[in-house]
Amino acid sequence: MCGQNPVVPPGRPALPQQAADAAPVIRQPLSANDAFGHPVPVRYSLEEAWMKGILPWKASTMRTYLKRSRERGNPVPEGELDGQTVRYTEDELTIWLAAWQKQAGPTTGRLPKGPPGLVAR
């Protein structure tokens, strides 16, 4: 039986020699989000958001403003707890920032009193 093809069980075709010698392909399992086509949004700590320019204030100032928002009944982004750090999406932060700036005025937490140099009577 020299020189004959290897014995192949009926119903199962023989693999070409090149495919049989190739290293097996190891595939990583997909995450639930990847499998269903839902990308995971990037989340930032308040410090990271400030460093990226998403927020105009440092983390300590942001925590104060978030606290004031809660006290005033304004919606505050929930974020996602990661250890001891709360992380927010850029959308959560920019939506909150727009609402804060609308209620707070141009530069401070107070509503503007009027143009500079205007004398109140």
Side-chain angles (χ1 to χ4, degrees):
M1 293 229 166
C2 266
Q4 291 183 349
N5 286 335
V7 177
V8 177
R12 188 169 179 204
L15 294 174
Q17 190 62 31
Q18 186 179 21
D21 292 341
V25 176
I26 300 173
R27 298 179 190 256
Q28 296 294 328
L30 293 176
S31 71
N33 286 325
D34 291 336
F36 295 107
H38 302 287
V40 177
V42 177
R43 294 188 170 272
Y44 303 94
S45 68
L46 294 176
E47 185 69 22
E48 292 166 344
W50 176 71
M51 291 174 69
K52 286 216 171 252
I54 298 168
L55 296 172
W57 308 291
K58 291 184 178 181
S60 59
T61 304
M62 269 302 298
R63 283 189 286 275
T64 299
Y65 288 174
L66 289 171
K67 179 182 173 187
R68 288 181 186 169
S69 285
R70 282 186 207 95
E71 291 169 352
R72 295 174 183 172
N74 296 330
V76 176
E78 287 185 31
E80 194 171 275
L81 190 60
D82 179 18
Q84 293 184 340
T85 304
V86 179
R87 297 187 171 278
Y88 305 90
T89 64
E90 186 171 351
D91 285 346
E92 288 175 321
L93 294 172
T94 54
I95 289 168
W96 174 86
L97 180 60
W100 172 263
Q101 289 173 333
K102 184 178 179 181
Q103 65 87 38
T107 58
T108 67
R110 298 183 203 127
L111 293 174
K113 294 182 179 177
L118 182 64
V119 179
R121 294 184 186 208

